[in-house]
Amino acid sequence: MSLADLPPFLFAIAVLIAVHEWGHYRVARACGVKVLRFSIGFGRVLWRRVGRDGTEFTLSALPLGGYVRMLDERDGPVPEQQREQAFGQRPLHQRAAIVAAGPAANWLLAILLFAVVAWLGTEVPKPLLGTPASGSLAERAGLQAGDWVRAVSPDGQQWQDVESLPALSAAVARAQALGEGLQLTVTDAQGHGSHSVRLDVERLAGRAPDAQLFAEIGLNPLQAPLISRVTPDGAGAKAGLVAGDRVLSIDGRAIQDAGQLRDAIRNAHDGGQPRHMAWRVERAGQVVELDVTPRLLQEAGGLVARLEVYVGSPPERVLVSRGFADGLWSGVAQSWDMAATTVRLLGRILVGEASVKNLSGPLAIADYAGQSARAGITPFLDFLARISMSLAVLNLLPLPMLDGGHLMYHLFEGLSGRPVPEWWQRQLQRAGALILMLMMALALSNDLVSRFAGWH
């Protein structure tokens, strides 16, 4: 996270909280409940207005929270002429509807934003695979350079079309987090020879979602074997490589894509000594032969050969967009799938079957906000949709202090015919606050650990 990420992060949080609280406000007003104050943020008040119904609207300097304050007997005696406007005097189903309206507003916003993203369309990398990493799950599954992934399924029964490489990565990450295998329908790069392969990502269940995990899965985009950049005074520069060289072969073995080229470079050592390689490259239409010797570096997995060059070309991209009805349905389906996956993942974390490192905190979210804002309006809207959906699911968790906890109170009242006793409400509030603080501390520690690991 940098300071440049802060404005898009604060804007996103302010919008999502405003939508959440607006849901509470509108349903409360529709049920005849008097709303005293509608507030977004804390700290110094930047803007204040009193509405026609007497509600005070405020916007404060720190938009990291908000609330709707309604007329309620717990604030003190309510005048007789206003008793029917008090929250606690409304029928149970109306009180439950007011509580559920906040998460529902975030859910509806997520559907709309997902739909807008689908309508606008976006250019994304095509799901064409490069050479799998050596020893990876993709290599063991039989995937090869040039394979085009067309659909995925966790059980071989319900298949989901794959339109982009990010969609494939998301499906693989979801299956790993949930401890499921994943079947892929694959064709060649021209769309011929359809067949299915199974990616055994359930073997990696419970692992933290880091770079090492995705390296072991081994799904790489198809990229041409180009030298895109050469570090001055590096081993590649000393061998005569220049940016724009297209590698044709190494030691007589044809090189088809960037993944195969990276593997050949990494493994160019014998017995702790770098191995000399005979390269044939195409440069400005001419074939050039080079004697290339890498530099050995000690990394976590042992000795690795490096040429200090950047390899690969941008992957092939396609425009993915939908019509009105398809886009709207895509928004509904995507939001439901995200909600179901989040609940299942939280359940697996709770029983110890998934890593707690799947929880992201404010630093990671701010980083994503900044990255998506820099990428353009469509990625930022997609980010907003995902955070809005996460906020909806989080608020529906049956924890005191959250909307889901209050819905549990109303459920108890509906089944027993009496409200939860005040003493129990106070104790549950304390327990809920403690759980939320622990969750926030854990998510923040994940952010800090991942950042320090990245710096290292």
Side-chain angles (χ1 to χ4, degrees), residues 274-345:
R275 187 170 69 245
H276 302 288
M277 297 177 286
W279 283 37
R280 295 179 72 246
V281 303
E282 181 183 338
R283 180 183 300 168
Q286 302 293 321
V287 175
V288 178
E289 297 187 357
L290 299 171
D291 183 27
V292 178
T293 303
R295 180 179 298 170
L296 291 188
L297 298 175
Q298 184 69 42
E299 297 188 356
L303 285 176
V304 176
R306 298 290 188 197
L307 282 179
E308 296 154 291
V309 298
Y310 291 82
V311 173
S313 61
E316 182 181 349
R317 302 177 77 84
V318 292
L319 178 65
V320 176
S321 63
R322 299 181 185 275
F324 181 80
D326 285 345
L328 192 58
W329 175 248
S330 173
V332 173
Q334 199 169 352
S335 64
W336 177 257
D337 181 66
M338 184 176 174
T341 300
T342 302
V343 171
R344 292 179 62 192
L345 178 58

Side-chain angles (χ1 to χ4, degrees), residues 112-122 320-321 377-379 381-382 385:
L112 178 60
L113 290 174
F114 279 135
V116 169
V117 169
W119 295 332
L120 290 176
T122 181
V320 176
S321 63
I377 183 64
T378 303
L381 291 178
D382 184 74

Side-chain angles (χ1 to χ4, degrees), residues 115 118 243 280 350 432 449:
R280 295 179 72 246
L350 192 62
V449 168

Side-chain angles (χ1 to χ4, degrees), residues 202-438:
E202 73 274 18
R203 296 184 181 183
L204 305 176
R207 290 274 302 278
D210 53 20
Q212 181 61 33
L213 173 70
F214 291 106
E216 291 182 35
I217 295 172
L219 294 179
N220 299 315
L222 182 64
Q223 298 174 289
L226 290 174
I227 304 299
S228 56
R229 202 168 85 191
V230 178
T231 302
D233 299 323
K238 292 178 180 178
L241 290 170
V242 298
D245 283 351
R246 183 186 183 96
V247 182
L248 303 176
S249 68
I250 296 178
D251 294 333
R253 181 187 176 192
I255 299 298
Q256 299 178 338
D257 75 316
Q260 188 180 9
L261 176 57
R262 292 188 190 99
D263 273 350
I265 296 172
R266 277 194 296 262
N267 298 322
H269 59 90
D270 295 310
Q273 296 296 321
R275 187 170 69 245
H276 302 288
M277 297 177 286
W279 283 37
R280 295 179 72 246
V281 303
E282 181 183 338
R283 180 183 300 168
Q286 302 293 321
V287 175
V288 178
E289 297 187 357
L290 299 171
D291 183 27
V292 178
T293 303
R295 180 179 298 170
L296 291 188
L297 298 175
Q298 184 69 42
E299 297 188 356
L303 285 176
V304 176
R306 298 290 188 197
L307 282 179
E308 296 154 291
V309 298
Y310 291 82
V311 173
S313 61
E316 182 181 349
R317 302 177 77 84
V318 292
L319 178 65
V320 176
S321 63
R322 299 181 185 275
F324 181 80
D326 285 345
L328 192 58
W329 175 248
S330 173
V332 173
Q334 199 169 352
S335 64
W336 177 257
D337 181 66
M338 184 176 174
T341 300
T342 302
V343 171
R344 292 179 62 192
L345 178 58
L346 289 173
R348 289 180 60 83
I349 291 175
L350 192 62
V351 298
E353 294 180 356
S355 173
V356 295
K357 292 184 179 179
N358 284 284
L359 296 175
S360 296
L363 296 181
I365 295 172
D367 188 33
Y368 299 151
Q371 290 184 35
S372 62
R374 287 189 291 272
I377 183 64
T378 303
F380 186 66
L381 291 178
D382 184 74
F383 161 79
L384 272 180
R386 294 178 183 280
I387 297 301
S388 188
M389 196 65 239
S390 297
L391 187 61
V393 173
L394 176 65
N395 271 284
L396 286 174
L397 293 179
L399 292 174
M401 294 190 68
L402 297 179
D403 293 325
H406 290 286
L407 288 174
M408 291 299 102
Y409 293 162
H410 294 320
L411 178 61
F412 174 85
E413 184 177 345
L415 294 176
S416 67
R418 56 189 176 85
V420 177
E422 287 289 337
W423 185 87
W424 274 108
Q425 288 193 39
R426 288 195 298 271
Q427 306 313 310
L428 290 172
Q429 289 288 98
R430 293 191 182 100
L434 178 60
I435 293 172
L436 285 177
M437 289 176 62
L438 290 174

Side-chain angles (χ1 to χ4, degrees), residues 67-86:
Y67 62 93
V68 170
R69 182 167 175 255
M70 294 175 283
L71 188 67
D72 200 314
E73 292 86 343
R74 286 174 295 184
D75 293 328
V78 177
E80 186 65 32
Q81 63 272 25
Q82 289 188 308
R83 283 187 63 81
E84 65 177 16
Q85 293 182 295

